Amino acid sequence: MEEKARAKIDLNRVPMPRQDPKVRRRNFNEVALGYTDEMALREASRCIQCPKRPCVAGCPVNVDIPDFIKAIRDGNMPEAVRILKSKNSLPGICGRVCPQETQCEAVCSLGKKGAPIAIGRLERYVADWERKQNPGFAKAVDLPPPTGKRVAVIGSGPAGLTCAADLAKMGHSVTIFEALHVAGGVLMYGIPEFRLPKEIVQAEIEYVKSLGVEIQLDSVMGKLATVDELLSSGYDAVFLGTGAGLPMFLNIPGENFNGIYSANEFLTRVNLMKAYLFPEYDTPVKIGKKVAVIGGGNVAMDAARCALRLGAEEVYIVYRRSRAEMPARREEVENAEEEGVIFKFLTNPKRFIGNEQGWVTAMECYEMELGEPDASGRRRPIVKEGSEFIMEVDIVIVALGTTPNPLIPSTTTGLEARKNGTVVADETTGKTTKERVWAGGDVVTGAATVISAMGAGKRAAASIDAYLRGA
Amino acid sequence: MYRIVAKEKLCPVIDCFKFEAPAIARKAKAGQFVVIRVDEVGERIPLTLADWDVEEGTITLVAMKVGTTTYKLSCLEAGDGILDIIGPLGLPSEIEKFGTVICVGGGVGVAPIFPIARALKQAGNKVISIMGARSKDLLFWEERLGGVSDELIVTTDDGSYARKGVVTEPLKEVLERNREISRVIAIGPAIMMKFCSLTTKPFGVKTVVSLNSIMVDGTGMCGCCRVSVGGVTKFVCVDGPEFDGHEVDWDLLMSRQRMYLEEEKRSFELWKLRHCQCSS
């Protein structure tokens, strides 16, 4: 019996069609092309609809995964959309950038025997299907009668958008204040077009707006108005979803030479300001012949792959630990490697060397070795004495991570922040030390993932709703 | 869209715009700046506030035509608008009763020095202002700056108007004749601020400068505007724009300002090609 049951299950997932690496390394079009109807049906049919449903608990926003997969299998796409969007307002984004391999897919029952269901790819398929059906984005949910309560959400990244959408669905009036000239936060300025097309981000933001959420752009809170002023001018509650926007540098000699960028600056120029279309767009970015990206996270991969697409001849990832310790998603590392990014592990810059005009020309690096595990659980990199060598470069992109912007904590009375800039907030509710103020996402945790920020936005929305209803 | 309510040509290459921006006007303080973006393909550039009016709900920006963005701006008239104005950004000028202060404005720097001189005057200081330009036709706001100053000295590099020479000469003379000067504030091209700082250094007078580095977001996010002040890296957008002129690494600032010269030229050439009718 058991043999027979097993034989029926396909243990191999349907592969995702992608642009050929040789072609895509020189264009900004999306790398992953998405499932066809036939592929989606085949992948959805692999789901055994196990009674334990571990994937639902593995999802930070608890999407009813087996149910939407069943709807795909049944050919009932509107139902798949309804199930997905009842928990997740940004499925086209999550289907593309969530680290499913460490979340829902990591706990999939099929994973014990073979490959887990490609949940992310199916999620993307459902979101893309809906966008094709309703280019104008019809409302997917009926809104309850207005409660008359007003909430200000600061920041329109994943945390803010999710919190705002959920609050709107609960009948509250929500205004999002965004500092930049477009909404989306890191989804717009950070993640590149070839991984997350901006059209998809804007379509999902249009959906959030269709729920009645108002978005005020060009509004730097803390400068244009303080949190205290929002609370005294008619807002009943404030949610801080301001992210982690400040770049970290190495703090080594020569770091201010021309040609050395923070990953934030490089990616903002390329993604938000569309420097890859210069001079059609006015914002320039330096392309470089030999580019070194310092760091081993997803942002480093994004920066390296952008540099390649801009036309750099050689692009290096310079990382002080080894491949095993890299925080980047494996899929992104593989994509980068396929495209020709060269990895230099166990290497760390000591100083930058420049020419008389102030341009970086090289960096002196140390070779590193791995010692005992450190606080992060990864083996600590140690400098090999006397191992210095020179690496010629003309562009350097520093991708060491980011910390929260101190603007809000420094202008808000009674809001406690830690030394690293993160705002103190309750893990389950998002409540901060200040009355009527909630926070969630990178501003609380430090730089993390899109979906964990969305989870925090969702939990905060529930807590804000309970407060507004006097519970 | 931020509407232009008034435009005045101060001289052939310098325009003064009054924009409808009531929320920014309400919060504006002397020394702060805004970031603007003219159109959908436009760059984000910082401009220091030249004035604001809370009642009217307007802010005033003065821009010299130097590249694509400022030429685009110059083609606009009252009634037109630009896509984005973000602000007020940066830390305000330190305004208190210092005693006697010197405000130096060079070139288009006369515009941002004006509200600072006014605030210092209102705070009870004796304000000596020095303004300079390359030639007579580049001078503007002489009366305005004079109106908030106890004394005004005007220079032109070529001697086409008022005193011939650069601003550092009268600056030195005023410092020599008046030992009571408690502070100098200088705004203008980097090279002028550098030499003002060098001039005041031997007198030991605190000298504040407003740095004009390249920015993208203007909120601390990108680090494009980083400068070295007293050997420490600072972001002009959030730690400044005003710093102690005696501590600024001027060569680094000027080198970083030149980072995109090639691209700026290319962008501007393309723009001129497409908009020859109003690029005169």
Side-chain angles (χ1 to χ4, degrees), chain A residues 293-296 317-326 342-350 363-372 378-385 387-389 391:
Chain A
V293 180
I294 318 294
I317 290 275
V318 175
Y319 182 53
R320 61 191 184 134
R321 303 185 208 237
S322 75
R323 180 181 292 267
E325 290 81 22
M326 273 206 295
I342 306 158
F343 287 74
K344 279 186 93 73
F345 295 112
L346 295 167
T347 305
N348 207 23
K350 179 187 177 189
M363 47 184 203
E364 186 175 357
C365 299
Y366 287 116
E367 282 177 33
M368 311 292 282
E369 55 195 348
L370 294 178
E372 295 300 307
R378 296 174 299 173
R379 293 179 63 194
R380 180 195 305 275
I382 304 165
V383 169
K384 262 197 222 172
E385 287 306 332
S387 66
E388 289 95 328
F389 66 97
M391 183 176 171

Side-chain angles (χ1 to χ4, degrees), chain A residues 225-233 238 411-414 434 436-437:
Chain A
T226 63
V227 170
D228 291 281
E229 284 165 343
L230 290 174
L231 288 171
S232 61
S233 66
V238 173
T411 54
T412 308
T413 56
K434 186 176 174 70
R436 298 197 281 150
V437 178

Side-chain angles (χ1 to χ4, degrees), chain B residues 42-118:
Chain B
E43 210 177 348
R44 290 169 65 107
I45 66 155
L47 288 173
T48 307
L49 289 167
D51 206 354
W52 56 91
D53 187 323
V54 184
E55 314 267 283
E56 238 179 42
T58 60
I59 61 167
T60 301
L61 301 175
V62 172
M64 175 148 70
K65 296 197 269 182
V66 289
T68 307
T69 302
T70 42
Y71 268 83
K72 276 182 182 175
L73 202 54
S74 175
C75 287
L76 302 177
E77 301 297 335
D80 295 337
I82 65 172
L83 276 188
D84 304 286
I85 304 182
I86 300 108
L89 301 172
L91 303 173
S93 306
E94 212 184 339
I95 303 291
E96 52 185 87
K97 189 169 177 184
F98 298 110
T100 303
V101 296
I102 307 177
C103 291
V104 192
V108 76
V110 169
I113 205 79
F114 163 71
I116 299 171
R118 179 177 59 191

Side-chain angles (χ1 to χ4, degrees), chain A residues 181 218 220 223-224 229 245-247 255-256 258-262 264-265 269 278 280 282-283 286 405, chain B residues 27 37 41-44 72 84 86-88 90 219-222 224 226 233 255-256 259-260 263 274:
Chain A
H181 59 261
D218 293 343
V220 183
K223 289 285 187 189
L224 201 60
E229 284 165 343
L246 293 200
E255 204 166 15
N256 294 332
N258 281 345
I260 304 179
Y261 288 102
S262 72
N264 257 10
E265 179 185 354
R269 283 180 179 272
F278 179 85
E280 288 304 317
D282 296 346
T283 305
K286 288 286 174 187
N405 197 318
Chain B
K27 286 287 181 161
R37 191 176 69 126
V41 300
E43 210 177 348
R44 290 169 65 107
K72 276 182 182 175
D84 304 286
I86 300 108
T219 64
M221 219 180 87
C222 79
C224 175
R226 60 196 194 274
T233 295
S255 148
R256 287 187 66 81
M259 182 144 163
Y260 293 102
E263 288 82 0
R274 291 177 179 176

